[in-house]
PDB file of all heavy atoms in Angstrom:
ATOM      1  N   PRO A 275     -23.020  75.108  19.681  1.00 96.00           N
ATOM      2  CA  PRO A 275     -22.246  73.982  20.192  1.00 96.00           C
ATOM      3  C   PRO A 275     -21.091  74.323  21.047  1.00 96.00           C
ATOM      4  O   PRO A 275     -20.691  73.512  21.962  1.00 96.00           O
ATOM      5  CB  PRO A 275     -21.899  73.320  18.862  1.00 96.00           C
ATOM      6  CG  PRO A 275     -22.773  73.790  17.761  1.00 96.00           C
ATOM      7  CD  PRO A 275     -23.106  75.216  18.184  1.00 96.00           C
ATOM      8  N   ALA A 276     -20.567  75.600  20.913  1.00 96.00           N
ATOM      9  CA  ALA A 276     -19.374  75.946  21.629  1.00 96.00           C
ATOM     10  C   ALA A 276     -19.750  76.449  23.081  1.00 96.00           C
ATOM     11  O   ALA A 276     -18.801  76.560  23.882  1.00 96.00           O
ATOM     12  CB  ALA A 276     -18.696  77.127  20.940  1.00 96.00           C
ATOM     13  N   ALA A 277     -20.964  76.662  23.350  1.00 97.00           N
ATOM     14  CA  ALA A 277     -21.357  77.150  24.687  1.00 97.00           C
ATOM     15  C   ALA A 277     -21.464  76.065  25.734  1.00 97.00           C
ATOM     16  O   ALA A 277     -21.787  74.873  25.318  1.00 97.00           O
ATOM     17  CB  ALA A 277     -22.756  77.862  24.565  1.00 97.00           C
ATOM     18  N   LEU A 278     -21.267  76.363  26.930  1.00 98.00           N
ATOM     19  CA  LEU A 278     -21.568  75.443  28.031  1.00 98.00           C
ATOM     20  C   LEU A 278     -23.011  75.188  28.119  1.00 98.00           C
ATOM     21  O   LEU A 278     -23.811  76.191  28.076  1.00 98.00           O
ATOM     22  CB  LEU A 278     -21.006  76.007  29.347  1.00 98.00           C
ATOM     23  CG  LEU A 278     -21.424  75.291  30.625  1.00 98.00           C
ATOM     24  CD1 LEU A 278     -20.763  73.840  30.624  1.00 98.00           C
ATOM     25  CD2 LEU A 278     -20.941  76.121  31.849  1.00 98.00           C
ATOM     26  N   HIS A 279     -23.443  73.987  28.154  1.00 98.00           N
ATOM     27  CA  HIS A 279     -24.911  73.750  28.141  1.00 98.00           C
ATOM     28  C   HIS A 279     -25.411  73.187  29.528  1.00 98.00           C
ATOM     29  O   HIS A 279     -25.115  72.026  29.945  1.00 98.00           O
ATOM     30  CB  HIS A 279     -25.170  72.634  27.072  1.00 98.00           C
ATOM     31  CG  HIS A 279     -24.902  73.088  25.693  1.00 98.00           C
ATOM     32  ND1 HIS A 279     -24.708  72.163  24.634  1.00 98.00           N
ATOM     33  CD2 HIS A 279     -24.938  74.315  25.176  1.00 98.00           C
ATOM     34  CE1 HIS A 279     -24.526  72.927  23.550  1.00 98.00           C
ATOM     35  NE2 HIS A 279     -24.623  74.208  23.819  1.00 98.00           N
ATOM     36  N   ASN A 280     -26.081  73.959  30.190  1.00 97.00           N
ATOM     37  CA  ASN A 280     -26.883  73.545  31.367  1.00 97.00           C
ATOM     38  C   ASN A 280     -26.040  72.745  32.411  1.00 97.00           C
ATOM     39  O   ASN A 280     -26.204  71.581  32.507  1.00 97.00           O
ATOM     40  CB  ASN A 280     -28.089  72.702  30.967  1.00 97.00           C
ATOM     41  CG  ASN A 280     -28.965  73.411  29.877  1.00 97.00           C
ATOM     42  OD1 ASN A 280     -28.950  72.969  28.671  1.00 97.00           O
ATOM     43  ND2 ASN A 280     -29.594  74.508  30.154  1.00 97.00           N
ATOM     44  N   PRO A 281     -25.220  73.545  33.118  1.00 98.00           N
ATOM     45  CA  PRO A 281     -24.271  72.864  34.039  1.00 98.00           C
ATOM     46  C   PRO A 281     -25.132  72.169  35.157  1.00 98.00           C
ATOM     47  O   PRO A 281     -26.063  72.671  35.665  1.00 98.00           O
ATOM     48  CB  PRO A 281     -23.457  73.991  34.639  1.00 98.00           C
ATOM     49  CG  PRO A 281     -24.241  75.262  34.320  1.00 98.00           C
ATOM     50  CD  PRO A 281     -25.013  74.973  33.120  1.00 98.00           C
ATOM     51  N   ASP A 282     -24.613  70.996  35.555  1.00 96.00           N
ATOM     52  CA  ASP A 282     -25.408  70.195  36.502  1.00 96.00           C
ATOM     53  C   ASP A 282     -24.420  69.911  37.771  1.00 96.00           C
ATOM     54  O   ASP A 282     -24.535  70.592  38.805  1.00 96.00           O
ATOM     55  CB  ASP A 282     -25.833  68.910  35.900  1.00 96.00           C
ATOM     56  CG  ASP A 282     -26.796  68.146  36.653  1.00 96.00           C
ATOM     57  OD1 ASP A 282     -26.868  68.319  37.861  1.00 96.00           O
ATOM     58  OD2 ASP A 282     -27.506  67.289  36.117  1.00 96.00           O
ATOM     59  N   ASN A 283     -23.654  68.890  37.615  1.00 97.00           N
ATOM     60  CA  ASN A 283     -22.756  68.458  38.842  1.00 97.00           C
ATOM     61  C   ASN A 283     -21.425  69.085  38.733  1.00 97.00           C
ATOM     62  O   ASN A 283     -20.884  69.354  37.575  1.00 97.00           O
ATOM     63  CB  ASN A 283     -22.755  66.996  38.834  1.00 97.00           C
ATOM     64  CG  ASN A 283     -24.003  66.368  39.305  1.00 97.00           C
ATOM     65  OD1 ASN A 283     -24.708  65.831  38.421  1.00 97.00           O
ATOM     66  ND2 ASN A 283     -24.268  66.367  40.531  1.00 97.00           N
ATOM     67  N   LEU A 284     -20.830  69.295  39.934  1.00 97.00           N
ATOM     68  CA  LEU A 284     -19.569  69.979  40.111  1.00 97.00           C
ATOM     69  C   LEU A 284     -18.659  69.244  41.178  1.00 97.00           C
ATOM     70  O   LEU A 284     -19.171  68.551  41.931  1.00 97.00           O
ATOM     71  CB  LEU A 284     -19.686  71.395  40.579  1.00 97.00           C
ATOM     72  CG  LEU A 284     -20.676  72.364  39.921  1.00 97.00           C
ATOM     73  CD1 LEU A 284     -20.857  73.668  40.785  1.00 97.00           C
ATOM     74  CD2 LEU A 284     -20.154  72.780  38.594  1.00 97.00           C
ATOM     75  N   ASP A 285     -17.357  69.431  41.023  1.00 98.00           N
ATOM     76  CA  ASP A 285     -16.455  69.097  42.108  1.00 98.00           C
ATOM     77  C   ASP A 285     -15.198  69.889  41.784  1.00 98.00           C
ATOM     78  O   ASP A 285     -14.982  70.407  40.659  1.00 98.00           O
ATOM     79  CB  ASP A 285     -16.190  67.693  42.259  1.00 98.00           C
ATOM     80  CG  ASP A 285     -15.680  67.277  43.645  1.00 98.00           C
ATOM     81  OD1 ASP A 285     -15.683  68.211  44.508  1.00 98.00           O
ATOM     82  OD2 ASP A 285     -15.100  66.254  43.813  1.00 98.00           O
ATOM     83  N   THR A 286     -14.387  70.050  42.827  1.00 98.00           N
ATOM     84  CA  THR A 286     -13.176  70.750  42.688  1.00 98.00           C
ATOM     85  C   THR A 286     -11.902  69.983  43.104  1.00 98.00           C
ATOM     86  O   THR A 286     -12.050  68.956  43.926  1.00 98.00           O
ATOM     87  CB  THR A 286     -13.100  72.050  43.574  1.00 98.00           C
ATOM     88  OG1 THR A 286     -13.347  71.585  44.955  1.00 98.00           O
ATOM     89  CG2 THR A 286     -14.271  72.959  43.179  1.00 98.00           C
ATOM     90  N   SER A 287     -10.780  70.353  42.621  1.00 97.00           N
ATOM     91  CA  SER A 287      -9.487  69.914  43.132  1.00 97.00           C
ATOM     92  C   SER A 287      -8.757  71.169  43.548  1.00 97.00           C
ATOM     93  O   SER A 287      -9.382  72.243  43.530  1.00 97.00           O
ATOM     94  CB  SER A 287      -8.725  69.103  42.061  1.00 97.00           C
ATOM     95  OG  SER A 287      -8.348  69.935  40.962  1.00 97.00           O
ATOM     96  N   LEU A 288      -7.468  71.102  43.827  1.00 96.00           N
ATOM     97  CA  LEU A 288      -6.705  72.244  44.163  1.00 96.00           C
ATOM     98  C   LEU A 288      -6.624  73.396  43.089  1.00 96.00           C
ATOM     99  O   LEU A 288      -6.470  74.514  43.279  1.00 96.00           O
ATOM    100  CB  LEU A 288      -5.279  71.891  44.682  1.00 96.00           C
ATOM    101  CG  LEU A 288      -5.193  71.165  45.983  1.00 96.00           C
ATOM    102  CD1 LEU A 288      -3.733  70.720  46.316  1.00 96.00           C
ATOM    103  CD2 LEU A 288      -5.739  72.017  47.137  1.00 96.00           C
ATOM    104  N   ASN A 289      -6.692  72.832  41.812  1.00 97.00           N
ATOM    105  CA  ASN A 289      -6.588  73.801  40.688  1.00 97.00           C
ATOM    106  C   ASN A 289      -7.661  73.748  39.678  1.00 97.00           C
ATOM    107  O   ASN A 289      -7.645  74.467  38.724  1.00 97.00           O
ATOM    108  CB  ASN A 289      -5.219  73.611  39.910  1.00 97.00           C
ATOM    109  CG  ASN A 289      -5.062  72.237  39.288  1.00 97.00           C
ATOM    110  OD1 ASN A 289      -6.102  71.429  39.337  1.00 97.00           O
ATOM    111  ND2 ASN A 289      -4.013  71.994  38.609  1.00 97.00           N
ATOM    112  N   SER A 290      -8.645  72.978  39.926  1.00 98.00           N
ATOM    113  CA  SER A 290      -9.743  72.813  38.862  1.00 98.00           C
ATOM    114  C   SER A 290     -11.096  72.807  39.477  1.00 98.00           C
ATOM    115  O   SER A 290     -11.367  72.334  40.554  1.00 98.00           O
ATOM    116  CB  SER A 290      -9.540  71.429  38.183  1.00 98.00           C
ATOM    117  OG  SER A 290      -8.321  71.332  37.547  1.00 98.00           O
ATOM    118  N   LEU A 291     -11.975  73.388  38.680  1.00 98.00           N
ATOM    119  CA  LEU A 291     -13.462  73.222  38.881  1.00 98.00           C
ATOM    120  C   LEU A 291     -13.997  72.382  37.724  1.00 98.00           C
ATOM    121  O   LEU A 291     -13.877  72.839  36.568  1.00 98.00           O
ATOM    122  CB  LEU A 291     -14.175  74.565  39.058  1.00 98.00           C
ATOM    123  CG  LEU A 291     -15.711  74.528  39.035  1.00 98.00           C
ATOM    124  CD1 LEU A 291     -16.270  73.775  40.247  1.00 98.00           C
ATOM    125  CD2 LEU A 291     -16.295  75.915  38.891  1.00 98.00           C
ATOM    126  N   MET A 292     -14.576  71.210  37.995  1.00 98.00           N
ATOM    127  CA  MET A 292     -15.040  70.326  36.991  1.00 98.00           C
ATOM    128  C   MET A 292     -16.551  70.534  36.861  1.00 98.00           C
ATOM    129  O   MET A 292     -17.239  70.542  37.893  1.00 98.00           O
ATOM    130  CB  MET A 292     -14.664  68.907  37.209  1.00 98.00           C
ATOM    131  CG  MET A 292     -13.212  68.668  37.561  1.00 98.00           C
ATOM    132  SD  MET A 292     -12.204  69.136  36.120  1.00 98.00           S
ATOM    133  CE  MET A 292     -12.615  67.720  35.051  1.00 98.00           C
ATOM    134  N   ILE A 293     -17.062  70.683  35.598  1.00 98.00           N
ATOM    135  CA  ILE A 293     -18.475  70.935  35.386  1.00 98.00           C
ATOM    136  C   ILE A 293     -19.002  69.988  34.392  1.00 98.00           C
ATOM    137  O   ILE A 293     -18.472  69.670  33.372  1.00 98.00           O
ATOM    138  CB  ILE A 293     -18.534  72.373  34.822  1.00 98.00           C
ATOM    139  CG1 ILE A 293     -17.873  73.360  35.691  1.00 98.00           C
ATOM    140  CG2 ILE A 293     -20.074  72.777  34.567  1.00 98.00           C
ATOM    141  CD1 ILE A 293     -17.709  74.808  34.973  1.00 98.00           C
ATOM    142  N   GLN A 294     -20.171  69.381  34.796  1.00 98.00           N
ATOM    143  CA  GLN A 294     -20.788  68.408  33.857  1.00 98.00           C
ATOM    144  C   GLN A 294     -22.110  69.029  33.260  1.00 98.00           C
ATOM    145  O   GLN A 294     -22.807  69.718  34.019  1.00 98.00           O
ATOM    146  CB  GLN A 294     -21.206  67.154  34.571  1.00 98.00           C
ATOM    147  CG  GLN A 294     -19.962  66.316  34.998  1.00 98.00           C
ATOM    148  CD  GLN A 294     -20.314  65.175  36.023  1.00 98.00           C
ATOM    149  OE1 GLN A 294     -20.869  65.414  37.029  1.00 98.00           O
ATOM    150  NE2 GLN A 294     -20.050  63.930  35.460  1.00 98.00           N
ATOM    151  N   GLU A 295     -22.428  68.690  32.060  1.00 97.00           N
ATOM    152  CA  GLU A 295     -23.613  69.249  31.366  1.00 97.00           C
ATOM    153  C   GLU A 295     -24.708  68.193  31.447  1.00 97.00           C
ATOM    154  O   GLU A 295     -24.484  66.961  31.441  1.00 97.00           O
ATOM    155  CB  GLU A 295     -23.324  69.425  29.971  1.00 97.00           C
ATOM    156  CG  GLU A 295     -22.310  70.458  29.586  1.00 97.00           C
ATOM    157  CD  GLU A 295     -22.064  70.680  28.097  1.00 97.00           C
ATOM    158  OE1 GLU A 295     -22.061  69.606  27.374  1.00 97.00           O
ATOM    159  OE2 GLU A 295     -21.870  71.776  27.619  1.00 97.00           O
ATOM    160  N   ASP A 296     -25.984  68.811  31.628  1.00 96.00           N
ATOM    161  CA  ASP A 296     -27.198  67.981  31.472  1.00 96.00           C
ATOM    162  C   ASP A 296     -28.026  68.773  30.452  1.00 96.00           C
ATOM    163  O   ASP A 296     -28.956  69.557  30.902  1.00 96.00           O
ATOM    164  CB  ASP A 296     -27.866  67.801  32.785  1.00 96.00           C
ATOM    165  CG  ASP A 296     -29.148  66.984  32.675  1.00 96.00           C
ATOM    166  OD1 ASP A 296     -29.390  66.514  31.628  1.00 96.00           O
ATOM    167  OD2 ASP A 296     -29.890  67.018  33.738  1.00 96.00           O
ATOM    168  N   PRO A 297     -27.822  68.666  29.170  1.00 97.00           N
ATOM    169  CA  PRO A 297     -28.539  69.447  28.228  1.00 97.00           C
ATOM    170  C   PRO A 297     -29.993  69.366  28.206  1.00 97.00           C
ATOM    171  O   PRO A 297     -30.509  68.242  28.297  1.00 97.00           O
ATOM    172  CB  PRO A 297     -27.883  69.069  26.898  1.00 97.00           C
ATOM    173  CG  PRO A 297     -26.612  68.410  27.269  1.00 97.00           C
ATOM    174  CD  PRO A 297     -26.889  67.735  28.564  1.00 97.00           C
ATOM    175  N   GLY A 298     -30.683  70.511  28.127  1.00 95.00           N
ATOM    176  CA  GLY A 298     -32.145  70.489  27.929  1.00 95.00           C
ATOM    177  C   GLY A 298     -32.434  70.191  26.553  1.00 95.00           C
ATOM    178  O   GLY A 298     -31.528  70.110  25.609  1.00 95.00           O
ATOM    179  N   SER A 299     -33.730  69.969  26.186  1.00 94.00           N
ATOM    180  CA  SER A 299     -34.045  69.575  24.757  1.00 94.00           C
ATOM    181  C   SER A 299     -33.670  70.682  23.801  1.00 94.00           C
ATOM    182  O   SER A 299     -33.355  70.438  22.603  1.00 94.00           O
ATOM    183  CB  SER A 299     -35.547  69.334  24.646  1.00 94.00           C
ATOM    184  OG  SER A 299     -36.251  70.399  25.039  1.00 94.00           O
ATOM    185  N   HIS A 300     -33.604  71.943  24.302  1.00 95.00           N
ATOM    186  CA  HIS A 300     -33.188  73.033  23.313  1.00 95.00           C
ATOM    187  C   HIS A 300     -31.703  73.045  23.072  1.00 95.00           C
ATOM    188  O   HIS A 300     -31.299  73.751  22.167  1.00 95.00           O
ATOM    189  CB  HIS A 300     -33.557  74.383  24.045  1.00 95.00           C
ATOM    190  CG  HIS A 300     -32.948  74.559  25.319  1.00 95.00           C
ATOM    191  ND1 HIS A 300     -33.287  73.958  26.491  1.00 95.00           N
ATOM    192  CD2 HIS A 300     -31.918  75.434  25.692  1.00 95.00           C
ATOM    193  CE1 HIS A 300     -32.604  74.363  27.521  1.00 95.00           C
ATOM    194  NE2 HIS A 300     -31.748  75.210  27.048  1.00 95.00           N
ATOM    195  N   ASN A 301     -30.921  72.214  23.817  1.00 96.00           N
ATOM    196  CA  ASN A 301     -29.519  72.037  23.626  1.00 96.00           C
ATOM    197  C   ASN A 301     -29.170  70.705  23.170  1.00 96.00           C
ATOM    198  O   ASN A 301     -27.928  70.264  23.346  1.00 96.00           O
ATOM    199  CB  ASN A 301     -28.741  72.480  24.909  1.00 96.00           C
ATOM    200  CG  ASN A 301     -28.507  73.926  25.058  1.00 96.00           C
ATOM    201  OD1 ASN A 301     -28.314  74.579  24.096  1.00 96.00           O
ATOM    202  ND2 ASN A 301     -28.564  74.432  26.265  1.00 96.00           N
ATOM    203  N   SER A 302     -30.096  69.998  22.619  1.00 95.00           N
ATOM    204  CA  SER A 302     -29.908  68.665  22.017  1.00 95.00           C
ATOM    205  C   SER A 302     -29.774  68.874  20.502  1.00 95.00           C
ATOM    206  O   SER A 302     -30.484  69.682  19.956  1.00 95.00           O
ATOM    207  CB  SER A 302     -30.923  67.648  22.456  1.00 95.00           C
ATOM    208  OG  SER A 302     -30.897  67.394  23.759  1.00 95.00           O
ATOM    209  N   PHE A 303     -28.896  68.078  19.793  1.00 96.00           N
ATOM    210  CA  PHE A 303     -28.669  68.294  18.389  1.00 96.00           C
ATOM    211  C   PHE A 303     -28.974  66.946  17.602  1.00 96.00           C
ATOM    212  O   PHE A 303     -28.637  65.910  18.119  1.00 96.00           O
ATOM    213  CB  PHE A 303     -27.249  68.725  18.226  1.00 96.00           C
ATOM    214  CG  PHE A 303     -26.880  69.999  18.861  1.00 96.00           C
ATOM    215  CD1 PHE A 303     -26.367  70.127  20.128  1.00 96.00           C
ATOM    216  CD2 PHE A 303     -26.905  71.280  18.088  1.00 96.00           C
ATOM    217  CE1 PHE A 303     -26.104  71.343  20.761  1.00 96.00           C
ATOM    218  CE2 PHE A 303     -26.572  72.417  18.710  1.00 96.00           C
ATOM    219  CZ  PHE A 303     -26.241  72.515  20.075  1.00 96.00           C
ATOM    220  N   PRO A 304     -29.406  67.141  16.376  1.00 96.00           N
ATOM    221  CA  PRO A 304     -29.497  65.891  15.576  1.00 96.00           C
ATOM    222  C   PRO A 304     -28.182  65.270  15.436  1.00 96.00           C
ATOM    223  O   PRO A 304     -27.077  65.858  15.516  1.00 96.00           O
ATOM    224  CB  PRO A 304     -29.952  66.535  14.179  1.00 96.00           C
ATOM    225  CG  PRO A 304     -30.596  67.856  14.561  1.00 96.00           C
ATOM    226  CD  PRO A 304     -29.844  68.357  15.658  1.00 96.00           C
ATOM    227  N   VAL A 305     -28.118  63.962  15.229  1.00 95.00           N
ATOM    228  CA  VAL A 305     -27.025  63.135  15.259  1.00 95.00           C
ATOM    229  C   VAL A 305     -26.052  63.679  14.120  1.00 95.00           C
ATOM    230  O   VAL A 305     -26.441  63.974  12.968  1.00 95.00           O
ATOM    231  CB  VAL A 305     -27.319  61.688  14.858  1.00 95.00           C
ATOM    232  CG1 VAL A 305     -26.007  60.841  14.681  1.00 95.00           C
ATOM    233  CG2 VAL A 305     -28.134  61.037  16.005  1.00 95.00           C
ATOM    234  N   GLY A 306     -24.808  63.906  14.554  1.00 92.00           N
ATOM    235  CA  GLY A 306     -23.756  64.506  13.629  1.00 92.00           C
ATOM    236  C   GLY A 306     -23.693  65.865  13.495  1.00 92.00           C
ATOM    237  O   GLY A 306     -22.905  66.501  12.839  1.00 92.00           O
ATOM    238  N   GLN A 307     -24.661  66.723  14.181  1.00 94.00           N
ATOM    239  CA  GLN A 307     -24.693  68.165  14.060  1.00 94.00           C
ATOM    240  C   GLN A 307     -24.298  68.922  15.351  1.00 94.00           C
ATOM    241  O   GLN A 307     -24.374  70.159  15.376  1.00 94.00           O
ATOM    242  CB  GLN A 307     -26.109  68.529  13.672  1.00 94.00           C
ATOM    243  CG  GLN A 307     -26.444  67.976  12.282  1.00 94.00           C
ATOM    244  CD  GLN A 307     -27.782  68.511  11.744  1.00 94.00           C
ATOM    245  OE1 GLN A 307     -28.171  69.643  12.056  1.00 94.00           O
ATOM    246  NE2 GLN A 307     -28.449  67.792  10.925  1.00 94.00           N
ATOM    247  N   GLY A 308     -23.933  68.256  16.363  1.00 94.00           N
ATOM    248  CA  GLY A 308     -23.551  68.977  17.526  1.00 94.00           C
ATOM    249  C   GLY A 308     -22.805  68.065  18.566  1.00 94.00           C
ATOM    250  O   GLY A 308     -22.579  66.964  18.323  1.00 94.00           O
ATOM    251  N   PRO A 309     -22.542  68.560  19.792  1.00 97.00           N
ATOM    252  CA  PRO A 309     -21.923  67.695  20.684  1.00 97.00           C
ATOM    253  C   PRO A 309     -22.867  66.956  21.596  1.00 97.00           C
ATOM    254  O   PRO A 309     -24.075  67.310  21.706  1.00 97.00           O
ATOM    255  CB  PRO A 309     -21.207  68.767  21.656  1.00 97.00           C
ATOM    256  CG  PRO A 309     -22.106  69.949  21.563  1.00 97.00           C
ATOM    257  CD  PRO A 309     -22.664  69.988  20.155  1.00 97.00           C
ATOM    258  N   ALA A 310     -22.436  65.879  22.140  1.00 97.00           N
ATOM    259  CA  ALA A 310     -23.110  65.179  23.209  1.00 97.00           C
ATOM    260  C   ALA A 310     -22.777  65.934  24.512  1.00 97.00           C
ATOM    261  O   ALA A 310     -22.068  66.929  24.494  1.00 97.00           O
ATOM    262  CB  ALA A 310     -22.675  63.716  23.270  1.00 97.00           C
ATOM    263  N   ALA A 311     -23.268  65.446  25.579  1.00 98.00           N
ATOM    264  CA  ALA A 311     -23.087  66.099  26.874  1.00 98.00           C
ATOM    265  C   ALA A 311     -21.578  66.044  27.180  1.00 98.00           C
ATOM    266  O   ALA A 311     -20.980  65.004  26.968  1.00 98.00           O
ATOM    267  CB  ALA A 311     -23.906  65.475  27.987  1.00 98.00           C
TER     268      ALA A 311
END
């Protein structure tokens, strides 16, 4: 759960790189047992 899962979309500002996850089925978790995207 602590790992970055399947990065998809990106954008930047002057000090940040923003990263969005699109988890594959291997990075999906039963309800209550892991993070959402």
Side-chain angles (χ1 to χ4, degrees):
L278 171 66
H279 294 155
N280 310 112
D282 190 342
N283 289 102
L284 307 172
D285 200 13
T286 60
S287 65
L288 290 175
N289 67 357
S290 302
L291 170 65
M292 307 298 288
I293 306 166
Q294 293 174 297
E295 294 179 327
D296 179 12
S299 59
H300 60 287
N301 276 325
S302 295
F303 296 86
V305 175
Q307 296 186 28

